[in-house]
């Protein structure tokens, strides 16, 4: 890994100037700051801790932290094998909390001794991913995709299996099919909504915005969903729930409310692991292998780090989600 002396030579400045830039000193011009950071990123500079170069990579949240979600649990599980294989240590960072005033992302990451990033983002915070790519810091976004050539990403395409799930419900005889989305927008949920809408329109059903329901992506959100459905005068006979925790909460609340699944309400959920087998009845679901996403993202990040240049390693990988039919879907008992 490159020393401050090499960075100074590449940028054409003094060692003291490099130190000031890396420590976010205010008395450095923007032009000099940009040159030093570009050289540091190109040479893969990281700070040193206890007289040895660090081997830290970071899972960086650009928006709200979601460490308790099934997605993140499976993601970390998938990354864990790569941590041992590549001899990395993992840090978890909150972009907003970690940044100092006036500091670039690269400065913050170098200060913390981070060699590379796996990025978790939402639609509202995608600009952070773009900024990190423009700075040239080694990073791979997980669960999203970008047109920007500098952004590396690994994601799971759930649009097509979401369309298949709605077509399955239509084939069973359902004509009022609702969809439950997270209150926080991201590209995954947008894909699932597009698949839902495509299937509804191609099936000749009426596009009804009242059947698009948003709740928090957690178990209480699933309970809230069922209460809202039960209170509707013209309720749907089938639901596509696009989040695993919301799905689990909905199953539990349906039992408490005396709603039979699938007799009173057919449910297609979403599964990041094997949760579809942990509810009763077993859940028809759109599934993705999130652990595989974690493994692929870490392998791609390692390749970028080891290459010595982010510009030579394109990473644009899509894994396939799929739809499974189980016992939570059946023909409607009541006329739709």
């Amino acid at each position: 890994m490159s020393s401050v002396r090499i960075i100074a030579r590449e940028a054409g400045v003094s060692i003291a100037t490099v130190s000031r830039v890396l420590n976010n000193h205010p008395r450095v011009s923007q032009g000099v700051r940009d040159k030093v950071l570009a050289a540091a990123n190109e040479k893969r500079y990281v700070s040193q801790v206890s007289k040895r170069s660090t081997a830290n990579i970071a899972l960086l949240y650009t928006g709200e932290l979601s460490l308790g979600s099934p997605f993140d649990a499976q993601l970390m599980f998938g990354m864990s094998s790569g941590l041992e294989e590549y001899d990395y240590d993992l840090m978890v960072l909150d972009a907003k909390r970690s940044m100092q005033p006036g500091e670039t992302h690269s400065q913050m990451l170098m200060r913390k001794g981070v060699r590379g990033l796996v990025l978790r983002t939402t639609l509202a915070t995608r600009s952070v991913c773009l900024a990190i790519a423009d700075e040239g810091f080694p990073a791979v976004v997980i669960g999203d995709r970008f047109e920007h050539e500098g952004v590396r990403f690994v994601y799971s395409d759930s649009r097509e299996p979401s369309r298949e799930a709605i077509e399955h419900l239509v084939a069973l005889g359902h004509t009022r099919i609702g969809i439950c989305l997270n209150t926080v927008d991201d590209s995954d949920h947008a894909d699932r909504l597009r698949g839902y809408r495509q299937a509804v329109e191609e099936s000749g059903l009426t596009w009804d915005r009242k059947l698009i329901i948003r709740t928090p992506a957690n178990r209480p959100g699933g309970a809230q969903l069922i209460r809202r459905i039960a209170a509707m005068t013209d309720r749907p006979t089938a639901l596509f729930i696009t989040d695993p925790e919301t799905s689990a909460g909905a199953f539990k609340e349906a039992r408490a409310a005396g709603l039979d699944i699938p007799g009173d309400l057919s449910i297609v959920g979403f599964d990041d692991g094997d949760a579809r087998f942990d509810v009763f009845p077993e859940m028809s679901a759109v599934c993705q292998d999130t652990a595989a996403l974690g493994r692929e993202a870490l392998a791609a990040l390692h390749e970028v780090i080891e290459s010595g240049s982010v510009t030579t390693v394109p990473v644009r990988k899509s894994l396939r989600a799929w739809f499974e039919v189980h016992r939570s879907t059946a023909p409607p008992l009541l006329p739709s």
Side-chain angles (χ1 to χ4, degrees):
M1 258 166 277
S2 300
S3 68
V4 171
R5 188 180 302 277
I6 295 173
I7 301 303
R9 184 174 68 244
E10 291 291 323
V13 299
S14 68
I15 292 175
T17 297
V18 173
S19 179
R20 284 196 292 270
V21 170
L22 296 181
N23 288 286
N24 198 29
H25 195 283
R27 294 182 63 183
V28 182
S29 71
Q30 188 61 49
V32 170
R33 189 183 307 273
D34 291 344
K35 283 200 303 182
V36 170
L37 290 176
N41 280 328
E42 180 64 28
K43 296 299 179 182
R44 294 291 177 270
Y45 174 81
V46 294
S47 65
Q48 293 193 333
V49 178
S50 301
K51 298 184 179 180
R52 68 177 178 85
S53 296
T54 64
N56 291 333
I57 62 167
L59 175 60
L60 179 70
Y61 288 84
T62 64
E64 180 181 348
L65 267 71
S66 54
L67 277 172
S69 73
F71 181 95
D72 291 73
Q74 289 294 318
L75 170 64
M76 299 281 276
F77 176 74
M79 292 175 63
S80 63
S81 59
L83 295 174
E84 183 174 353
E85 178 181 354
Y86 306 129
D87 196 25
Y88 289 140
D89 295 318
L90 179 66
M91 304 171 66
V92 177
L93 299 176
D94 178 340
K96 291 181 291 186
R97 187 175 60 82
S98 299
M99 298 278 287
Q100 295 179 356
E103 190 175 43
T104 68
H105 295 93
S106 291
Q107 285 172 314
M108 179 269 288
L109 294 164
M110 291 175 190
R111 170 170 56 82
K112 290 182 174 292
V114 175
R115 296 187 67 189
L117 294 174
V118 173
L119 290 166
R120 288 277 280 121
T121 191
T122 66
L123 291 181
T125 59
R126 296 174 93 239
S127 60
V128 177
C129 302
L130 297 172
I132 290 171
D134 287 339
E135 290 175 24
F137 199 88
V140 174
V141 180
I142 194 162
D144 202 344
R145 58 193 184 278
F146 290 75
E147 296 299 324
H148 189 294
E149 291 184 356
V151 181
R152 274 75 185 163
F153 58 81
V154 177
Y155 79 104
S156 184
D157 188 352
S158 58
R159 176 176 178 173
E160 182 62 20
S162 296
R163 183 185 64 79
E164 292 174 10
I166 304 307
E167 288 179 343
H168 165 70
L169 293 171
V170 172
L172 289 173
H174 295 277
T175 59
R176 284 189 62 76
I177 303 169
I179 183 171
C180 178
L181 300 167
N182 190 2
T183 52
V184 178
D185 284 319
D186 58 29
S187 65
D188 282 345
H189 285 81
D191 275 351
R192 292 159 206 168
L193 177 59
R194 280 192 287 267
Y196 166 84
R197 180 163 188 168
Q198 180 184 356
V200 166
E201 292 178 344
E202 289 179 352
S203 300
L205 301 181
T206 302
W207 173 249
D208 187 349
R209 290 192 174 275
K210 292 193 295 295
L211 295 177
I212 302 175
I213 302 169
R214 289 187 178 271
T215 65
N218 52 37
R219 292 183 181 232
Q224 177 190 125
L225 167 67
I226 294 300
R227 289 193 292 269
R228 288 172 64 177
I229 292 296
M232 294 173 68
T233 55
D234 190 14
R235 74 185 193 200
T237 59
L239 278 176
F240 175 30
I241 306 175
T242 60
D243 177 82
E245 285 288 271
T246 311
S247 301
F251 270 72
K252 181 178 180 180
E253 181 65 21
R255 288 196 300 274
L259 287 176
D260 178 68
I261 299 173
D264 296 320
L265 182 67
S266 283
I267 292 181
V268 172
F270 197 90
D271 195 0
D272 288 317
D274 295 319
R276 58 194 179 278
F277 305 116
D278 295 334
V279 296
F280 181 82
E282 290 183 355
M283 181 173 68
S284 297
V286 176
C287 310
Q288 66 180 5
D289 189 343
T290 307
L293 280 176
R295 290 191 296 271
E296 292 287 347
L298 192 58
L301 179 61
H302 176 69
E303 186 179 357
V304 173
I305 291 171
E306 292 299 304
S307 73
S309 174
V310 293
T311 60
T312 61
V313 185
V315 178
R316 291 172 169 258
K317 188 159 189 176
S318 171
L319 304 186
R320 179 64 191 267
W322 67 96
F323 173 55
E324 285 187 11
V325 178
H326 293 287
R327 296 172 57 200
S328 67
T329 51
L333 295 182
L334 299 175
S336 299

